[in-house]
Structure formats: structure tokens, C-alpha cells
Amino acid sequence: MISHKAISCLIIDDEPSSQRVLQHFIAQTPVLDLKTTCSNAEEAFKYLQLNEKVDLLFLDINMPKQSGLDFYKSLQNPPLVIFTTAYPQYAVDGFEVNAIDYLLKPIAYERFLTAVNKVLHNNDRNANEDEFIILKENKALHKIRFEDVQYIEAFGDYVKVHTKQKTITTHSTFSKFIENLPHYFLRTHKSFSINLKKLNYLAGNQISIDNHKIPIGQTYKQTVLKALNL
């Protein structure tokens, strides 16, 4: 399960400019803990042999001597991996080894953050009270515990994530955002998903959470009633 413990990670990339970009992104992302940067597979192998296992590799596929893909296949009990490369034709190969994600250079920070959130949800989609997500709003990053989320609302090309203390508006389609929510979230409408733990009561075609009224769409009503054993 994902907890507050930072995700230890390793950059393996032969291009200094790509190394700097990933180092900068990781430094901006509180949940990540960069252990070291390696310029080739041989350096990475030595590091992994001599140090504690890391949780995640940011691994360039196209490297001299040994490709990132071949290096990853050679590891026993390999960490999670996010492949990076400038060549989109390698994407299929990356997913054949169950990569968490594949980042095409030049990498945008928003896309990087999407990949990191996939890591957060990878091990156990049944969340506990320590599970969280990193959300970007404007230039700020917010670490939000799923337990604290009351409901989620579609807002054009964005979603609004409502907690008791604040509302964060982050760039994502609604359908994509709710794909990785914990099991105790329930879609009640084409534009709303609620945290069932926060529900106060249901009346007619509305659900009450604190003083908020969340609509129940006709398409979702039977699913909602079933989820509430009604």
C-alpha cells in the first residue's frame, strides 16, 4: 500500500540534459526521493548491487552498450519502472515488461506528475487512510489524502477536488481522474463522484455531504442505491 513514506527512485539516462530535467521534476515532487543518477546500465547495476533496493526507476530506453529495456529485463525482482525516451516506437516494448508508464521526451511536468500518480496507485487500489495523491493547481503542488476528499466535480477540462478545508482545481478530464480513485468513491452523476465515507444522507435525487448537495443522475441512481444497500 502507498503511505506517507517517500518513493525512492533512480535516474538512468545517458543524456545530461535529460538528467537535469528529471532531477528538477523530482525535486519539485515531495513524494519522490532521488537516490542517485546513473549515466548507463553498468553504473545502475553497480548501484543496485551495493545499496538498498529502490522503489522506482526513471529509465531511458535508448542507451549505448545496453538498452534500458534489456537492462530492466536482466534484473531479478526489479523495481517499478517509468521508461523515458525520445523515440515513440519504443512504447510498446516498454509496456511489454509492465512498465508503469512511458514518458516521451521532451517531458512536460504535468505528464511527469501523471506518471508518478500511477505509481501511487499501483500496489493497492483499495486505499487506506494514508493514501494520497499529488495535485497541481497553477504552480503549486498539493498533497491530498483520499480520506479527506468529500467529492470530485467535473469542470470542463479540469476537475475540482473538494475537501472540508479547500477546493483544488487541477487539469484533468473527469473520466480519467476517477479511474484510479479508491473503492469507497462512487460516481453519482456524469459530473460528480463522492466519498461514501463522507455521506450524511440521501434525499430524493440528491446526496448531502456537510452543506453540499450532490446530484444523483438518473443513469447512476440504481448503482447508488445498490451501493448504499437501499
Side-chain angles (χ1 to χ4, degrees), residues 38-134:
C38 302
S39 296
N40 54 57
E42 184 179 1
E43 283 183 22
F45 183 78
K46 288 179 180 178
Y47 180 88
L48 292 172
Q49 289 291 102
L50 297 174
N51 297 272
E52 292 183 9
K53 182 179 177 181
V54 297
D55 302 313
L56 174 66
L57 304 179
F58 289 96
L59 178 57
D60 185 23
I61 290 180
N62 191 36
M63 294 190 295
K65 294 185 179 180
Q66 186 179 27
S67 74
L69 190 62
D70 289 339
F71 166 70
Y72 190 72
K73 288 179 178 179
S74 74
L75 297 176
Q76 293 184 339
N77 301 315
L80 301 176
V81 63
I82 295 173
F83 283 113
T84 65
T85 187
Y87 303 95
Q89 63 266 31
Y90 289 122
V92 174
D93 293 333
F95 287 120
E96 283 179 358
V97 294
N98 296 319
I100 291 293
D101 209 344
Y102 172 92
L103 297 176
L104 184 64
K105 300 175 184 178
I107 303 166
Y109 182 65
E110 287 78 7
R111 182 66 183 84
F112 173 87
L113 202 58
T114 296
V116 172
N117 277 321
K118 288 183 181 180
V119 175
L120 296 178
H121 297 300
N122 176 76
N123 292 335
D124 188 355
R125 290 176 183 273
N126 293 323
N128 65 25
E129 65 179 7
D130 291 327
E131 232 183 340
F132 57 86
I133 190 170
I134 305 294

